[in-house]
Amino acid sequence: MKNKSLLAAVASALAISALAFYENNPQTVKPSVKETVVFFDDFSSKEINRANWNVAVTGHVTNNELQAYVDSTATLQLSDKVTGAKNGALIINAHYTPGFKTKDGQTFDFISGKLESRGKKEFVYGKISARIKLPAGSGYWPAFWALGINKKWPDCGEIDIMEYVGEADWVSAALHGPNYSGETPLVNKLFLEKKNDVTQWHVYTVDWQKDALLFYVDNVLYYRVTRPMIENYGAWAFDNTHFLIVNFALGGGYPAKTNGVKKPYFGLPQTTVDDIKAGNAKVYVDWIKVVKNE
């Protein structure tokens, strides 16, 4: 009996040791499913790849946002000199431009940039990721998201992979579809450590599956939404083709509901206006990638 007890104790110790090794060395565990990269843009060329991206130009404005989107190197540029970026990086730069007029006669005090892959790079399911660095400032509203095609919003389905409205210690993810749009119940926040807030580089990911969407920051899962959860509110809107969007909005509904600011602009306080004037309103995107399981 003593020998059996000793052997059992040794076996238990070895099992614990092995478990600790694999937990501390996760790279030693091989994935059970082969992954294939189906889209990748690291913005390492001299100009935006128009085979991948359309540059949005403001016509209709949503959410009472304050910016006009323009197709200009003033708002969208590529650089190989961004600290922390592995090759090149996309810089989305917002500017204070009082009285700026769009081609359709609208007037804005701010301009910014927006890329979308509609009609060029579109996807159904997959792991969609981007490595992004954001600016601190109440009322900033950058986002990385995917939007469905061939149906009107919200029936087309919207996947908000990363939204940020100016509080540097958190980001959010959300889903919009029929009967769960706008003030959607399908939303969650991830709170970040002070030394590792949104002003640092982070990888934002959604793993879009047939019956679930899993949201990650730096490979840490913080929100899981399943088909039954969604169908409590309305139809599942995530079997159809989606395109990618990355943009930098200013002010508007979501920031205003968070910070309560109405002046000098809706959702945008004077401190952030001054920050924009000083040239600090910049979103950096190192790369965007879509991976599918085989």
Side-chain angles (χ1 to χ4, degrees), residues 39-43 53 86 90 92 127-134 143-146 161-163 171 198 200-207 216-219 244-247 283-291:
F39 174 76
F40 182 71
D41 194 339
D42 64 356
F43 304 104
W53 304 105
K86 296 179 179 178
L90 167 69
I92 310 178
K127 190 178 292 183
I128 305 170
S129 302
R131 186 169 185 257
I132 300 174
K133 183 178 180 181
L134 301 169
F144 172 51
W145 46 304
I161 306 165
M162 182 283 297
E163 281 189 279
V171 292
V198 301
Q200 307 301 309
W201 287 104
H202 294 285
V203 176
Y204 301 97
T205 301
V206 64
D207 186 356
Y216 299 80
V217 174
D218 299 331
N219 295 317
L244 306 179
I245 304 169
V246 59
N247 67 287
V283 170
Y284 299 96
V285 184
D286 187 3
W287 48 259
I288 296 175
K289 178 170 63 174
V290 180
V291 174

Side-chain angles (χ1 to χ4, degrees), residues 7-54:
L7 288 172
V10 170
S12 178
L14 288 172
I16 292 171
S17 177
L19 178 60
F21 175 79
Y22 282 106
E23 286 180 341
N24 293 319
N25 298 272
Q27 69 274 16
T28 64
V29 181
K30 295 181 179 180
S32 58
V33 178
K34 184 179 179 182
E35 294 184 335
T36 301
V37 176
V38 295
F39 174 76
F40 182 71
D41 194 339
D42 64 356
F43 304 104
S44 57
S45 58
K46 293 182 179 180
E47 297 180 346
I48 292 169
N49 186 343
R50 304 281 175 142
N52 292 340
W53 304 105
N54 304 304

